[in-house]
Amino acid sequence: MEIGDDTMEFVTLNNGVEMPMVGFGTDAANDALSYGEVMDAAVQAGYRLFDTAAMYGNQNELGDFLAGSGLKRDDYFLTSKVAQKEQGYENTLQAFKNTTAALQTDHLDLYLVHWPKFDPFFETWRALEHLYKEGYVRAIGVSNFEAHHLDRLLTKATVMPAVDQIETHPYFNQHVLHGYLEELGIQHQAWSPLGRGAVLQDPVLAGIAERYGVSIAQVILRWQIQHNVAVIPKSGNPARMAQNLALDFQLTTTDMARIDALQRGERIMGAPDQNYTEDLW
Ligand code: A2P
């Protein structure tokens, strides 16, 4: 499967760039398989969007894998993110050089500000706009930005973010922020779309999955896609990787509403402003 293959669903971002609706979170782990084996299984399964970040510490390994994979650069969509400690204008330009060197590429398809960090993010964004206007990145965006972060960024931005990548799953469905992103024309992309744990045991989801003859994970991913939320599930297990791409079924409006009603406001990670003040990265 290649980008352009009509078996893969794409979304057109606000600048015309096409992005696969389903991508692969490249920090997936499997104790029995090497990193290269996990990534190879992801490529064999059909993934053509690879999502990484400076913070994940895997860019060198991913770059080595991609260089030896036989994939042509235009065949896949590559996302990375500026870490907290890389923020600022000059720092971000240097971070981009480090990231692209590690990934063994001259450009990224999408470069995101990983977490909002108030003062430097204007300067970080100015660097991203520069990289975008010079053609080093095909699209720029943010991650973990809530409405108030976006409002603040937009007081100075000259390029509208193309994507906001945020924690989203049935127990934290982000419906309010989703509406705001739609208003702004920013594509919502979900990290940890499967919610890492409890949600994968949810009895309501289990009932729906049984009726459609699919897994709970497939129900969750399909629900996000039908809400126009792009997803980047992680799995170190080749069978589950393939399952997470097999989403060619349709949930009814009633089942969509049942899943919407599972909202509990329950995050996996701390709220973005907590991460900002802790300054972890
Ligand atoms: P595994 O790697 O053993 O498949 P998220 O992407 O939301 O952070 O979730 C990742 C977690 O979900 C991993 O622990 C992964 O475990 C698990 N997972 C991924 N795909 C599936 C699936 N289809 N069914 C069950 N669990 C899954």
Side-chain angles (χ1 to χ4, degrees):
M1 196 188 313
E2 292 191 352
I3 284 189
D5 182 332
D6 60 11
T7 58
M8 188 178 269
E9 265 192 78
F10 287 82
V11 59
T12 305
L13 303 179
N14 60 13
N15 66 350
V17 165
E18 301 246 297
M19 181 179 83
M21 281 297 277
V22 184
F24 189 69
T26 63
D27 53 336
N30 179 322
D31 291 343
L33 299 179
S34 70
Y35 185 78
E37 286 168 334
V38 168
M39 285 306 306
D40 199 43
V43 169
Q44 295 309 320
Y47 290 93
R48 293 296 182 270
L49 184 160
F50 305 112
D51 181 277
T52 185
M55 208 186 97
Y56 301 162
N58 68 359
Q59 294 185 127
N60 283 310
E61 280 175 303
L62 179 58
D64 286 345
F65 167 78
L66 290 169
S69 68
L71 290 173
K72 296 195 291 280
R73 180 64 187 84
D74 289 348
D75 289 343
Y76 59 88
F77 189 106
L78 192 54
T79 303
S80 192
K81 313 182 194 87
V82 183
Q84 288 288 61
K85 64 182 178 207
E86 295 174 326
Q87 292 217 34
Y89 187 80
E90 292 300 336
N91 281 356
T92 297
L93 295 182
Q94 186 56 49
F96 177 76
K97 283 187 190 155
N98 298 345
T99 278
T100 46
L103 292 169
Q104 303 180 40
T105 183
D106 60 357
H107 71 282
L108 292 176
D109 297 284
L110 181 62
Y111 201 28
L112 305 177
V113 183
H114 204 148
W115 289 90
K117 188 178 181 184
F118 273 141
D119 290 338
F121 79 41
F122 291 116
E123 289 301 291
T124 307
W125 191 252
R126 198 163 65 79
L128 261 55
E129 289 179 337
H130 170 78
L131 293 167
Y132 176 63
K133 287 170 185 166
E134 293 294 313
Y136 292 108
V137 292
R138 296 175 63 231
I140 54 177
V142 293
S143 183
N144 301 299
F145 274 48
E146 300 181 295
H148 68 286
H149 303 116
L150 289 166
D151 287 344
R152 180 135 184 224
L153 181 68
L154 294 177
T155 60
K156 294 199 186 161
T158 63
V159 176
M160 180 65 87
V163 168
D164 191 3
Q165 186 186 109
I166 50 181
E167 175 178 346
T168 313
H169 45 79
Y171 289 170
F172 196 77
N173 72 21
Q174 299 269 23
H175 64 284
V176 177
L177 183 51
H178 179 85
Y180 193 44
L181 294 175
E182 276 193 341
E183 232 174 83
L184 294 173
I186 299 173
Q187 177 62 40
H188 178 175
Q189 188 180 45
W191 63 253
S192 272
L194 301 173
R196 292 186 204 164
V199 71
L200 282 167
Q201 318 290 330
D202 186 278
V204 172
L205 295 174
I208 295 172
E210 199 180 337
R211 277 193 283 110
Y212 287 82
V214 297
S215 71
I216 292 181
Q218 286 169 306
V219 168
I220 296 174
L221 296 172
R222 183 67 216 171
W223 164 75
Q224 310 224 40
I225 286 170
Q226 283 183 219
H227 273 313
N228 191 29
V229 177
V231 291
I232 42 165
K234 289 190 286 290
S235 176
N237 174 296
R240 289 196 281 273
M241 289 174 196
Q243 194 188 92
N244 295 346
L245 277 177
L247 303 172
D248 54 349
F249 60 99
Q250 190 78 19
L251 293 165
T252 63
T253 311
T254 310
D255 285 328
M256 289 292 287
R258 283 193 183 110
I259 304 170
D260 292 345
L262 297 176
Q263 164 74 346
R264 298 179 179 177
E266 220 172 83
R267 288 182 188 271
I268 300 169
M269 282 194 67
D273 286 328
Q274 287 168 10
N275 286 327
Y276 154 65
T277 49
E278 285 166 10
D279 198 18
L280 290 175
W281 305 290

